[in-house]
Amino acid sequence: MLDYFFIALPLVAIWVLLFLFCGRSWQLPAAFIPFCIWGLYSGNSHWKWLLIIPLLSLLVVDLHITVKETKFSREITILSYVLTIPFLVFYLFYGRGFVKDGTLVSVIWGYIFQILVLIFVSKFWFSDILLLFINRLSIKDKRYVETQVIKKLMKTVGRSTNYYVVFYNLGKMKVSGFFYVYLKFKGVQAEDRIEIVIKRGCLGTEFITGFPKILSR
């Protein structure tokens, strides 16, 4: 298995870089899928079930845009944090050895830092993915919107890159890098007319999956 992994290493590198640089928060875990698959087949640890978590991103990997910057309503956002509790309980029982011995202050800060990271990762890479998937299971409304791409923007903040598209009659939206690259690849200009499908799921989140249909140039 290891031999095949190294043979496929160039493809794995391309896969990882694509999702790291182009993925939205719920798409990012897909970058680690090749390593998770390798770990599931080669590892014997009883903790290997944790490697299944990044695979969940495949359930929403085609979701490129949430119409509102805040993905969920306040109630659903609170629920997304509640869903991180099992991971915190798991950490309290099995993860206390991850903090090295030291002064009392350093140990306390070590635990606080690890708990904050765990909450952040489990929310964005588990809770949000699960809720986005549940949201799309039942579509309450679907709108076909004819629009134009007024401007395409790419902003780098620190080590992360964010992609935006300004739509005529829809305004500025944060999009995935895949959506941005598709518009670039197709050479979509401001005068071109495109059609996007906006869906509203059972949790109230409006989202866009797939890529726009080019109507005219």
Side-chain angles (χ1 to χ4, degrees), residues 47-202:
W47 303 116
K48 63 189 294 185
W49 61 269
L50 290 171
L51 297 174
I52 297 174
I53 294 177
L55 299 177
L56 296 176
S57 61
L58 294 177
L59 299 174
V60 291
V61 74
D62 63 328
L63 199 160
H64 299 294
I65 303 172
T66 53
V67 174
K68 294 183 179 179
E69 186 68 26
T70 52
K71 296 185 285 292
F72 306 111
S73 64
R74 191 175 75 169
E75 293 79 8
I76 302 300
T77 299
I78 292 173
L79 177 59
S80 71
Y81 281 102
V82 171
L83 290 173
T84 67
I85 292 177
F87 293 92
L88 295 176
V89 173
F90 178 84
Y91 172 81
L92 292 175
F93 278 99
Y94 300 104
R96 286 175 292 179
F98 294 146
V99 176
K100 296 181 179 180
D101 294 333
T103 64
L104 178 62
V105 174
S106 66
V107 170
I108 291 175
W109 277 111
Y111 281 123
I112 291 174
F113 174 76
Q114 290 186 7
I115 288 172
L116 290 175
V117 170
L118 181 60
I119 292 173
F120 178 85
V121 172
S122 57
K123 178 190 183 299
F124 286 99
W125 289 13
F126 175 76
S127 302
D128 283 1
I129 290 174
L130 181 62
L131 292 171
L132 284 171
F133 175 65
I134 292 173
N135 179 72
R136 72 183 299 178
L137 287 177
S138 178
I139 303 300
K140 300 301 182 181
D141 183 53
K142 180 189 271 189
R143 293 182 288 136
Y144 293 86
V145 180
E146 187 175 323
T147 185
Q148 293 169 272
V149 175
I150 305 301
K151 187 182 295 185
K152 300 179 284 288
L153 305 169
M154 182 174 64
K155 295 183 179 180
T156 301
V157 180
R159 295 184 179 180
S160 63
T161 302
N162 297 321
Y163 303 90
Y164 299 89
V165 171
V166 180
F167 294 102
Y168 172 75
N169 70 14
L170 292 173
K172 183 179 178 182
M173 291 186 187
K174 188 175 182 179
V175 305
S176 74
F178 300 105
F179 194 94
Y180 178 90
V181 170
Y182 176 85
L183 295 178
K184 286 284 191 179
F185 177 75
K186 288 292 187 178
V188 176
Q189 303 298 323
E191 63 273 11
D192 300 336
R193 302 200 66 83
I194 63 172
E195 182 183 76
I196 57 177
V197 182
I198 300 177
K199 303 173 185 176
R200 179 168 57 84
C202 59

